Amino acid sequence: MQTRIILGLAILLNACQSSPEPIEGQAQISTRNWAIAIHGGAGHFGEESLSPELQELYTASLEAALYLGETQLIAGASAVDVVEVVVRLLEDDSLFNAGRGAVFTAEGTHELDASIADGASRNCGAVTGLNGYRHPISVARAIMDSSEHVFFSGHGAGEFAHDQGAESASSDWFDTAKAYDRYVGAAEREGDAPVPLDEKRGTVGCVVLDQNGHLAAATSTGGMTYKRHGRIGDSPIIGAGTWADDRSCAVSATGWGEYFIRTGVAQDIHAQMLYGGKSLEEACRHTIFDEMGALGGDGGVVAVDAQGNIALVFNSTGMFRAYSHPDGRDVLMFGPYGQP
Ligand code: ASP
């Protein structure tokens, strides 16, 4: 009980706190020829609440995804190809709530959401309520590349995925013990205390600057544990969970989706940079702390700009994240952001 009160106070304090000094954002002066940042979900966890074994697993998974992205970027791959391939890897990793490992809805099914954005063409693709396809991010990519639309849902999304020859997967592929335990726990708690937010999360995302100066972003998720059938979070919504525009930045978000939609997080960051002349770091901090956080939401973003600056900003106590560029790299989990 006492722990829950302390956790509640910590969440409130974090949500109310205004933007602190950055510790991980890069100085806003660089011009790098490539950069990448990845997230695997944000939440209220700290070093003490994650076993050393789990910390090792998360580190290994984030490291593998980072390495894949780095090698592709150095070899000259396009930003949009890199964000897709990195998110595909994370979708196959049952540690995360995306693809394999996706959370269960209240009906005991999986409804997967994903989106991808290409900063060069300012084209995008998104899918929501997808079921039965192994890589929702590649379905989003096919929507961007091979349809005149940008957003498909549910049954129609499945039909499109089928027509495109997307790889299917049976429901067993998505059913994991961790997600099922959380589902059962949530079902038992129904009508009682709300399910702790941390048991609902784990979205993945990637943002990239490639060697041709192009930006891209991709986000994929199972949504939130025990979500109602048909609920759509921020992850597949271009402008809330994902954004890319070569003139400003690429952004991928993770957190309490309803708040990210209400404050249009990803596009808000872009607009501050494009119209307000703010740096990437300033724009992300303002949106996360003074807009989304001020309403009571929590979570964070990974973002990159056209100069290769990276921002990893969150108002929760932790966010699984990793970044790399020619000047350095790191894999990080804990926070809170702004405090060494
Ligand atoms: N933003 C996701 C959603 O609300 C959840 C998450 O990021 O973990 O669906």
Side-chain angles (χ1 to χ4, degrees):
M1 182 64 178
Q2 204 183 3
T3 323
R4 281 173 70 168
I5 293 170
I6 292 168
L7 185 64
L9 276 173
I11 292 170
L12 202 66
L13 274 173
N14 258 297
C16 297
Q17 123 195 25
S18 61
S19 31
E21 287 307 306
I23 51 165
E24 293 155 17
Q26 311 301 306
Q28 307 284 315
I29 46 163
S30 53
T31 302
R32 302 186 172 115
N33 52 1
W34 60 268
I36 178 169
I38 292 167
H39 71 77
H44 292 282
F45 55 82
E47 202 155 0
E48 65 298 332
S49 55
L50 218 57
S51 69
E53 293 74 29
L54 259 183
Q55 290 183 36
E56 254 175 53
L57 287 175
Y58 276 109
T59 304
S61 290
L62 290 167
E63 176 60 47
L66 193 66
Y67 180 74
L68 175 66
E70 286 168 327
T71 45
Q72 299 248 333
L73 281 168
I74 291 164
S78 75
V80 81
D81 283 346
V82 174
V83 293
E84 182 189 357
V85 84
V86 167
V87 167
R88 280 174 67 97
L89 186 75
L90 294 167
E91 283 178 337
D92 275 351
D93 188 330
S94 61
L95 261 189
F96 301 104
N97 167 22
R100 185 148 204 247
V103 298
F104 286 82
T105 66
E107 280 75 25
T109 59
H110 304 284
E111 294 179 9
L112 305 180
D113 295 339
S115 62
I116 191 164
D118 174 9
S121 60
R122 292 163 66 196
N123 198 357
C124 54
V127 65
T128 183
L130 188 71
N131 193 352
Y133 289 89
R134 179 170 169 182
H135 291 297
I137 198 63
S138 294
V139 177
R141 173 82 190 263
I143 292 167
M144 175 169 81
D145 289 350
S146 310
S147 87
E148 74 262 41
H149 306 302
V150 297
F151 199 2
F152 279 81
S153 71
H155 186 64
E159 275 183 0
F160 179 81
H162 177 263
D163 293 348
Q164 291 293 314
E167 186 180 350
S168 60
S170 70
S171 62
D172 301 3
W173 171 256
F174 301 102
D175 295 347
T176 59
K178 178 174 141 196
Y180 187 70
D181 288 349
R182 287 179 170 186
Y183 166 69
V184 171
E188 281 166 0
R189 253 181 297 219
E190 208 202 348
D192 196 5
V195 183
L197 282 172
D198 287 351
E199 295 188 15
K200 299 182 161 194
R201 305 263 190 86
T203 296
V204 303
C206 180
V207 293
V208 154
L209 165 71
D210 70 22
Q211 295 204 51
N212 290 318
H214 297 311
L215 299 172
T219 311
S220 183
T221 189
M224 290 172 91
T225 295
Y226 219 71
K227 66 183 181 182
R228 276 189 71 142
H229 170 54
R231 178 263 187 188
I232 302 171
D234 61 312
S235 308
I237 297 183
I238 300 295
T242 302
W243 186 261
D245 184 329
D246 280 1
R247 298 171 301 170
S248 56
C249 58
V251 179
S252 174
T254 178
W256 194 343
E258 279 70 10
Y259 287 89
F260 282 69
I261 295 172
R262 287 169 62 186
T263 50
V265 161
Q267 194 172 14
D268 192 56
I269 292 167
H270 151 83
Q272 289 176 70
M273 294 177 71
L274 188 65
Y275 308 124
K278 280 201 185 167
S279 72
L280 181 76
E281 180 76 21
E282 286 170 337
C284 290
R285 288 163 61 191
H286 178 79
T287 302
I288 292 300
F289 287 94
D290 304 332
E291 298 295 329
M292 185 280 296
L295 287 191
D298 71 317
V301 290
V302 295
V304 61
D305 69 14
Q307 285 70 49
N309 295 299
I310 283 174
L312 314 163
V313 179
F314 54 99
N315 73 342
S316 46
T317 60
M319 180 167 82
F320 296 107
R321 59 203 185 279
Y323 73 87
S324 179
H325 49 56
D327 304 325
R329 69 197 299 284
D330 212 348
V331 173
L332 301 142
M333 279 175 238
F334 310 116
Y337 170 81
Q339 289 174 21

